[in-house]
Amino acid sequence: MAGSTNIEIERKFLLASDAWRREVTASRPITQVYLASTAVSQVRLRRYGAAAFITVKGRRKGLARPEIEAEIPPEFVDAVLAAGLSPVPPLVKVRHLVPVGAFCFEIDEYGGDNEGLVTAEVELPTEDADFPRPGWLGADVSGDVRYGNVYLTQRPYKSW
């Protein structure tokens, strides 16, 4: 199993309206479970439609952090979930892809105890890269830990 290493640079936003829905080009369900989360790294398994991945993310420095990811058999994620081997509940959401110019926004509609939360992420080539800001894009919450997926597994949106 080969893994790819890269530096992930992304911004996260709340949504100002539902106008993005007219621009969706694809949607897939996601179930992800965190196996470990420390000050140094996070380890997660993700079922993304029919595919599955293991991802290790490093500590964030500004908007950037190292990320190593490898595709794994979906049945592995299913077995971990069925056996209840995660210290936190799985996170469920539907990811919608919305291309805007040369960028693609990933709009996540959360389910379960995070139902009602909708965020948009955009990956950037550099931290200071200019990117489009469509009218449906709301407040930038990139630095707010409450909107991080690990945080949402421990303190779901419904409990805020």
Side-chain angles (χ1 to χ4, degrees):
M1 164 179 25
S4 61
T5 304
N6 66 1
I7 299 295
E8 174 187 69
I9 302 170
E10 66 184 11
R11 302 273 297 269
K12 185 178 275 195
F13 299 85
L14 297 178
L15 283 292
S17 77
D18 281 344
W20 58 270
R21 291 185 186 280
R22 294 188 304 266
E23 303 170 38
V24 171
T25 58
S27 299
R28 280 194 223 146
I30 293 176
T31 301
Q32 62 191 42
V33 61
Y34 288 88
L35 301 179
S37 180
T38 70
V40 176
S41 65
Q42 299 170 352
V43 179
R44 82 166 180 228
L45 301 178
R46 174 182 275 178
R47 187 81 141 83
Y48 187 43
F53 303 89
I54 183 167
T55 306
V56 180
K57 293 187 178 200
R59 180 182 300 171
R60 188 178 299 279
K61 292 178 183 160
L63 297 175
R65 65 178 165 182
E67 176 182 82
I68 301 169
E69 182 169 80
E71 191 163 358
I72 59 174
E75 298 78 19
F76 183 83
V77 177
D78 297 342
V80 170
L81 289 167
L85 296 177
S86 171
V88 294
L91 191 72
V92 294
K93 56 189 175 180
V94 175
R95 173 160 289 165
H96 307 282
L97 302 181
V98 179
V100 179
F103 293 87
C104 186
F105 285 84
E106 297 174 337
I107 313 283
D108 288 340
E109 282 190 279
Y110 292 83
D113 287 341
N114 292 296
E115 189 171 343
L117 178 61
V118 182
T119 61
E121 292 182 358
V122 61
E123 290 205 20
L124 303 171
T126 63
E127 286 195 39
D128 60 350
D130 192 29
F131 60 95
R133 289 177 170 75
W136 44 260
L137 204 59
D140 186 334
V141 294
S142 301
D144 190 334
V145 297
R146 294 176 303 158
Y147 295 97
N149 287 327
V150 170
Y151 187 94
L152 291 171
T153 64
Q154 299 164 351
R155 294 169 200 85
Y157 183 66
K158 284 186 176 180
S159 70
W160 298 6

